[in-house]
Amino acid sequence: MVREFELPDVGEGVAEGELVTWLVEEGDKVSEDQSVAEVETDKALVEVPAPVDGTVRELHVEEGEVVPVGTVIISFDEAGEPATEPSAATREESAAADDTESTAAAGEAPERPSEVQTETEAGSTPDDRVFAPPRVRRTARERGIDLSRIDGSGPGGRITAADVQAANGAESAAKQGQPQSQTPGPTAGEEEPGPSESSETGGGGEPAAEPSPETATGSSRSRWSEPPTQGDADRDRTLAAPATRRLAEEEGIDIDAVPAVEERDGETFVTPEAVQEYAEAQKRAQEADREAVEAGERVETAGQVFAEGERERREPYTGVRKRIAEAMVESKYTAPHVTHHDEVDVTALVAARDELKRRAEDRGIRLTYMPFIMKAVVAALKEHPEMNAVIDEANEEIVYRDYYNIGVATATDVGLMVPVVEDADRKSLLQLSSEMNELVQKARDRTISPGELRGSTFTVTNVGGIGGEYATPIINYPEAGILAIGEIKRKPRVVTDDDGAESIEPRSVMTLSLSFDHRLLDGAVGARFTNTVMEYLENPNLLLLE
């Protein structure tokens, strides 16, 4: 039994994916849940598991191809079920049956009547579906060929590369006015005859070409014909000797597409010479196509002042990079952004982190400043629920969320990702640190799941990791705000002691940049939210209360 497997919906809002790597090949045996491919969606790189135990029958998609969710990407022969594809012997028997029927049509008794089968039946395509490998589909698209108009010569009606080449050769020859038959044309001074027509009745005059007795008994009769178009050669049935069929197969030719100059008992009969001439015409047409393409490329690049590729490099605009761009555009042009900047003295926070860092390392946890910042943000969100809200545009409502899922913007090799730490308000400092470190590493390794990249209610991004101070971060829409953390630097600050005396001291200072949706929040709310975050960062002991 053949099991077709479609690209699954691997995450909310994911409509398509790029097949990055096949982990199996056709003919490989696989077990259920074994990874067979890596697919890059607009959110992550995920591994696609096999749904059954069995053997890989066919890979329907090529590496690098972007396909919509629901597209069949691979098919399997399930374990314990026989493969359904006809064997070479079966195909040979089918061809022999066609030849037997051809012989019977000429008035001779078939040698194996039980195997008589028309080629139309052997090559029919069920349910009007077009079966063709990705490479063949791509070639057809490039050459403007409609696959639905081609009768596949492969098993089960599958369209092969030879079928597409035949269609392309016929169309090219027709456009260029090249004859596809090796039958000699008229010599100089002779009038070229038009296509002959046959008639059984006179109709008041001489028929254009009346079948001779020799033709009726099965002998061949040559005739002139104009170079046929693809429609002329698109036959349901072709008579040919077994040797001729083998020649067509060797040349990669669809015998039904070969123009014929002979008939037997009123039906098209193809000779070895016609197959050979058609193959040569195809090669000439393909060569002409290549020359035309190359000429077009030369024209396109003629205006360049440098060789192609010398100072430019092109990459596909797909996957995560494309999704990031779409999200940025949606956010920037949907939510009116306002960015509020400030500085906070985090000298006490630096001391607290240095003290706790060793204890965290004893537990195998790397403690950064981010868990402290997440704690401070959650505390501020509780005091200013507008910043944890979202606009439901469909219902024209503001939704205030009483859960706190903090997204941590992470730079990866393929662009920015935002792993989400869920229920940050219910986790300790070390829990937040451990979970965040794990998610960030998974994002950078491209092993993170789509579910771990969605559902955030507020996002924090660290621009200080690469030396930045201030930024104007774009909101992770549809959230209401995003907080950018700058680098902690030693700066001179005026410090007032308990007696009111002032002095200038070097202090550890962090910059904050809060972007928020001005539809939801006014500037005053954004400033008060930032002040609350600063209060907790200046006095990290307050975080113990959270």
Side-chain angles (χ1 to χ4, degrees), residues 451-515:
E452 295 169 319
L453 292 169
R454 62 173 181 259
S456 57
T457 62
F458 188 90
T459 297
V460 179
T461 180
N462 181 12
V463 300
I466 54 176
E469 281 196 85
Y470 292 100
T472 55
I474 295 179
I475 297 167
N476 188 19
Y477 187 79
E479 296 170 17
I482 180 173
L483 181 66
I485 307 301
E487 182 183 13
I488 298 177
K489 295 183 176 180
R490 297 289 284 175
K491 296 181 179 181
R493 285 293 182 268
V494 175
V495 179
T496 304
D497 60 21
D498 295 337
D499 297 329
E502 294 181 343
S503 62
I504 297 178
E505 299 180 6
R507 307 288 289 182
S508 296
V509 178
M510 174 190 289
T511 54
L512 303 176
S513 302
L514 174 71
S515 290

Side-chain angles (χ1 to χ4, degrees), residues 84 245 274 366:
T84 58
R245 293 184 182 277
R366 185 173 64 89

Side-chain angles (χ1 to χ4, degrees), residues 187-208:
T187 59
E190 292 182 348
E191 180 181 356
E192 182 175 352
S196 62
E197 299 176 358
S198 62
S199 173
E200 294 182 358
T201 62
E206 285 288 324

